[in-house]
Amino acid sequence: MQDELPVSVVTLPTGTGKTLSYLPVIYDGQHRVTSSAISFSNTFSRHPDTPRPLVPIKPMVFKPRRMRAQVSAPATYRAMCRRVLAREQAGRHERRREHSSARRVRDAEARRAVLLRCGNRCENPGCFKADLPYRTSAGEPLLQVDHIDNHATGGRDYPSAMIALCPNCHSNKTYGADRLALTETFRKEAARLHDEFEQRP
């Protein structure tokens, strides 16, 4: 069976180019090598007629595996849109979930105090753009007052435990990979800003 399979010879330069490796290979018709033999010539550049002894290599066995085609991002996007449209046409976009929960009520004056203290700037000391050009519909800076510790689980609702953040820094504190370290940084910064602002005349 192997005698009927196609044979190719691959030449591989090695080292500084003085050594060439000849690799005759037999394919099984599915781009897989079934057997091969290899020969070396350490003096090929000087003696091209030097006999090259063959060193047999045992046949390599490959397990069959499925090949996955690479799908482009636009094609994936179109497929996702088709599935969403199918669910919409089936009426599944009108589904509702019932929520019944009780949340702690935030102190509105504590939030206003933090916005007063921040001076319209993000209070993250490492913010890349603390002076935000964005404004809310009311004309105020687009800042979000966040509790250092989650308010819903008992975090203190007091300005020294709260910090004004731009949307990017707020998202980083909530979802970022370094959110734990960032939380401790904000804890110290909020306490420092609180003490400093209280001492002003």
Side-chain angles (χ1 to χ4, degrees):
M1 182 67 181
Q2 278 191 350
D3 294 336
E4 300 175 1
L5 295 176
V7 179
S8 296
V9 177
V10 180
T11 303
L12 303 174
T14 59
T16 59
K18 295 181 180 180
T19 302
L20 290 178
S21 301
Y22 300 90
L23 181 62
V25 293
I26 300 176
Y27 293 97
D28 65 354
Q30 297 183 13
H31 304 287
R32 296 180 299 205
V33 178
T34 57
S35 64
S36 61
I38 193 166
S39 63
F40 300 96
S41 174
N42 293 327
T43 57
F44 178 75
S45 58
R46 290 176 295 176
H47 305 286
D49 297 328
T50 303
R52 304 178 184 91
L54 292 179
V55 180
I57 296 179
K58 293 182 179 180
M60 295 177 286
V61 179
F62 292 86
K63 294 181 179 180
R65 61 188 181 93
R66 298 178 61 183
M67 302 294 292
R68 291 190 177 182
Q70 294 291 331
V71 182
S72 67
T76 301
Y77 177 79
R78 289 190 293 269
M80 295 169 73
C81 289
R82 285 195 297 269
R83 291 193 293 269
V84 171
L85 181 61
R87 289 194 292 270
E88 183 183 58
Q89 292 173 342
R92 295 178 62 186
H93 65 297
E94 293 292 343
R95 292 185 304 168
R96 297 287 189 272
R97 284 196 179 98
E98 296 295 333
H99 294 278
S100 58
S101 60
R103 291 188 176 183
R104 293 177 63 199
V105 178
R106 297 181 58 171
D107 192 316
E109 191 167 16
R111 178 181 179 276
R112 291 197 300 270
V114 174
L115 289 175
L116 177 65
R117 181 188 71 196
C118 75
N120 297 336
R121 300 180 79 254
C122 177
E123 293 185 318
N124 176 11
C127 182
F128 292 114
K129 197 169 184 64
D131 294 304
L132 292 175
Y134 311 112
R135 293 291 184 269
T136 65
S137 57
E140 298 177 351
L142 194 59
L143 292 169
Q144 301 166 349
V145 177
D146 186 54
H147 293 81
I148 304 300
D149 299 305
N150 191 355
H151 181 255
T153 57
R156 191 181 181 199
D157 199 17
Y158 187 75
S160 65
M162 302 162 68
I163 192 166
L165 300 172
C166 68
N168 280 346
C169 292
H170 191 189
S171 295
N172 196 23
K173 176 186 177 292
T174 305
Y175 305 110
D178 58 344
R179 59 185 178 274
L180 296 180
L182 202 57
T183 295
E184 295 309 311
T185 298
F186 290 167
R187 188 188 310 281
K188 296 176 183 178
E189 185 66 9
R192 184 189 70 80
L193 292 171
H194 170 75
D195 293 341
E196 181 183 289
F197 207 73
E198 274 200 330
Q199 298 302 319
R200 291 185 182 180

